[in-house]
Amino acid sequence: MAIVGSIIKGVIELADSVIPEENAAKEQHKVLKHLLEKAKETKFGKDHSFETILESDSIETSFALNVPYYDYNSINDKYWKFLHDGQENLTWPGSPEYYALSSGTTGKTSKRIPVTEEMLDAIRKTGIKQVGALANFDLPADFFEKTIMMLGSSTKLKEKDGHLEGEISGISASNIPYWFRGYYKPGVEISQIDDWDERVQKIAEEAKNWDIGALSGIPSWMELMMKKVIEYNKVDNIHDIWPNLQVYTTGGVAFGPYKKSFNALLDHPINIIDTYLASEGFLAYQERPETKSMKLSLDNGIYFEFVPFKPDYINEDGSLVADAPSINITEVEKDVEYVLIISTVSGAWRYLIGDTIKFTDVERAEIIITGRTKFFLNVVGSQLSVNKMNDAIQIIEDKFDMEIPEFTIAATKIDNEYYHKWYIGSPNNNTNKEEIASALDEALKEANKNYKVARSKALKGVMVEVIKPEIFHAWNERNKKKGGQVKMERVMGEEKFKDWESFVAEQ
C-alpha cells in the first residue's frame, strides 16, 4: 500500500475541503488596493497619482481613468529599461532580483520582464493551489509518491548587472522549495544544461531510472523529448519507460492541435491539465476534470481587467487604442472574447499581455485562452482568431486522419487578389493539399460568419502547403532557441512570411 501517497492525498483533499470559495470582486479589490499601496511611492505611482486613486470612492474606476494601457515596449521605454542602469523604485519598490527573458512568438529580440520576490511567491502559491486541485481528479494514492518531469528552459541563470535572468520556467524551477526537490526531475544537474539537445539526451539516458507520474511543459518540446526517450530506449511508447505516467500539465499554447500526435506517444490516455503560466505571472490553472477551462488566480498578486475583443479597439500591431473601454471581474459576460490586461506585484501596470480569453463560467471565474491580439488575422475583414484556426485544424486532423502539431498562416496577395496561405506541419504529407484547403475553408466558413462574408468578397481563397513538423522546430531554433518557452507564431506578417517561405524552400 502506498502509505506516504495516501497521507499526501489525504492532506490535499482536506486542504481542498476547508479552503473557502473566494468572492471574486472582494479578492480583486484587495489585490488592487495592495498593489497601489505598495507602489504609491514609486516613480510610476507618483506619475499616475496612486495616492489620489486610493482616496477615491471607487479605486477600480479611478485606476482605469488615471492609468493608460501599457504594452512591453511602452512600459520598458518609459520605466523598465532604466532599471538596468541601476535606478530603483520605478514601477515597484526596489529593483527586481530576476528578469524573465521572453521573445514570445513575435521576434528575435528578447523582452526582459522584471520578476520580483513577491511574484515568485505568488507563482509558488498558485502552484500549491494547482496541486491542491489534483484532489478533484480521482488519482490513486500512489500517484502522489511519483516524480514530476518539468521540462522548461535551463535553470542555469545568467548573472547580469546584479540580477539573474533566464526564461520564467528556468527561474521558477531554480526556486523550487527544498522539500520538493526529491519529486522533481530531471534534477538540478541536468536542468542546468543550457543546450537543449544535450539536456534531452541526458534525460533519455536517465529515463529508465525514474518513476515519472506527471509531465509539465510546452507540448511541442514535450513531444520531442518523449520521442527521444522512446527512440533511445528502443521502446514502443512512453508508458514502456514510465508506466505510472498519469498526468500532463500543459501550457503556453493551446493543446488541441497537439492532442493527436501527443496521444500517439502513449499506451493509454492520461489526464491533461491546462495551466496559464506566462513570463508575467501564473495567471490561471485548471481546477476540475470535467472542463478544460482554467480558474483565474484572483487573490494572488495579479489584478485583471478585460477589454472587449473588437477590431475597432485593436491597432495593426496588436496593441490597444488608447480609449478602448475596460471592465473588471464584476462586469464580464460568458462567451464574450476579451483582451486580457494585468497589473502585478512585479510592477506591470494595465499591461497588455497579448492574449485574448473567454469566460466559460463567470461564477467560477473560469476561462479559456482564445488567441493572441497579434495573431488576429483581419485582412479584408476575415476576423480570424487563433482558437478558430485551432478548431479548424482539429477538424482536418479527424477528416483526413492526420497529425498536425504545427501550423502557421498569413494573408498573401497574388495577382492583386488576397489569399490565406497555410503551412501545415504533419508527418502525413501524402494527403492532397487542395482537398485540405477546401476542407479548411469550409470549416472556417461554418465557424466564423465574418470569414464567410470575407470569402464572398475580397478574400479569394485558401492555399495549403504540407511540410514536415521538424521545419517548424528548425525555424524556431534559427530565430530564437530550442526548448523552454519558445512557441511557433500562428500568424505572420508579410515580411516575416517572405522570410519563412525562403527558409522552407531551403530545407
Side-chain angles (χ1 to χ4, degrees), residues 145-149 182-187 190 201-213 229 232-233 235 238-244:
E145 295 183 339
K146 309 305 177 188
T147 53
I148 178 171
M149 166 69 70
Y183 293 95
Y184 161 61
K185 296 299 178 188
I190 294 176
Q201 178 63 33
K202 289 288 187 184
I203 290 171
E205 292 170 4
E206 292 293 329
K208 62 183 179 295
N209 301 319
W210 301 331
D211 191 3
I212 302 294
V229 170
Y232 179 84
N233 290 280
V235 294
I238 202 66
H239 278 114
D240 287 340
I241 292 290
W242 298 325
N244 294 307

Side-chain angles (χ1 to χ4, degrees), residues 443-460:
L444 291 168
K445 283 179 185 175
E446 193 168 327
N448 186 337
K449 64 182 180 181
N450 294 303
Y451 176 86
K452 188 174 183 179
V453 170
R455 279 290 286 114
S456 68
K457 295 181 179 178
L459 184 58
K460 185 70 174 175

Side-chain angles (χ1 to χ4, degrees), residues 159-170:
E159 188 169 351
K160 185 171 183 178
D161 301 331
H163 63 263
L164 296 171
E165 55 184 41
E167 290 184 10
I168 191 64
S169 57

Side-chain angles (χ1 to χ4, degrees), residues 233-253:
N233 290 280
K234 298 180 173 59
V235 294
D236 294 330
N237 60 71
I238 202 66
H239 278 114
D240 287 340
I241 292 290
W242 298 325
N244 294 307
L245 176 63
Q246 298 185 61
V247 169
Y248 169 44
T249 59
T250 179
V253 295

Side-chain angles (χ1 to χ4, degrees), residues 30-282:
K30 283 163 57 179
V31 168
L32 179 58
K33 188 175 181 181
H34 169 73
L35 292 173
L36 294 170
E37 289 278 8
K38 186 85 175 184
K40 65 185 179 183
E41 297 299 327
T42 65
K43 178 168 173 39
F44 192 98
K46 291 176 180 177
D47 288 348
H48 297 87
S49 307
F50 280 11
E51 284 272 20
T52 304
I53 293 172
L54 284 162
E55 292 168 2
S56 63
D57 292 334
S58 170
I59 62 171
E60 290 84 359
T61 301
S62 184
F63 179 64
L65 288 172
N66 280 276
V67 182
Y69 298 120
Y70 284 88
D71 58 14
Y72 173 78
N73 289 329
S74 57
I75 200 168
N76 186 62
D77 288 347
K78 198 167 182 181
Y79 297 98
W80 286 350
K81 71 178 183 182
F82 298 106
L83 290 167
H84 306 300
D85 298 329
Q87 294 189 36
E88 298 185 347
N89 304 314
L90 296 179
T91 64
W92 195 253
S95 59
E97 293 79 13
Y98 302 90
Y99 284 87
L101 302 181
S102 171
S103 58
T105 47
T106 55
K108 297 180 183 180
T109 304
S110 286
K111 300 173 183 176
R112 303 172 78 200
I113 298 165
V115 180
T116 61
E117 284 291 348
E118 291 95 330
M119 178 54 75
L120 287 176
D121 187 49
I123 289 171
R124 279 191 289 267
K125 286 179 179 176
T126 301
I128 289 169
K129 282 189 175 185
Q130 184 187 27
V131 171
L134 290 175
N136 300 326
F137 285 81
D138 194 29
L139 295 164
D142 65 356
F143 168 78
F144 297 93
E145 295 183 339
K146 309 305 177 188
T147 53
I148 178 171
M149 166 69 70
M150 298 172 64
L151 188 70
S153 58
S154 171
T155 58
K156 190 176 182 180
L157 307 177
K158 293 179 172 57
E159 188 169 351
K160 185 171 183 178
D161 301 331
H163 63 263
L164 296 171
E165 55 184 41
E167 290 184 10
I168 191 64
S169 57
I171 294 172
S172 298
S174 68
N175 281 274
I176 284 174
Y178 182 79
W179 60 266
F180 184 70
R181 292 186 180 181
Y183 293 95
Y184 161 61
K185 296 299 178 188
V188 175
E189 187 176 336
I190 294 176
S191 66
Q192 287 186 339
I193 298 172
D194 193 47
D195 182 83
W196 161 261
D197 293 313
E198 184 183 345
R199 191 171 355 131
V200 170
Q201 178 63 33
K202 289 288 187 184
I203 290 171
E205 292 170 4
E206 292 293 329
K208 62 183 179 295
N209 301 319
W210 301 331
D211 191 3
I212 302 294
L215 303 171
S216 178
I218 286 178
S220 54
W221 304 113
M222 188 62 68
E223 281 192 17
L224 288 180
M225 182 275 290
M226 289 196 295
K227 285 177 180 176
K228 185 67 176 179
V229 170
I230 291 167
E231 174 194 343
Y232 179 84
N233 290 280
K234 298 180 173 59
V235 294
D236 294 330
N237 60 71
I238 202 66
H239 278 114
D240 287 340
I241 292 290
W242 298 325
N244 294 307
L245 176 63
Q246 298 185 61
V247 169
Y248 169 44
T249 59
T250 179
V253 295
F255 180 70
Y258 300 92
K259 183 177 180 180
K260 196 162 189 174
S261 56
F262 186 91
N263 285 341
L265 302 174
L266 311 175
D267 178 62
H268 53 266
I270 61 176
N271 291 285
I272 308 296
I273 301 176
D274 279 315
T275 61
Y276 189 3
L277 173 63
S279 297
E280 293 82 0
F282 198 162

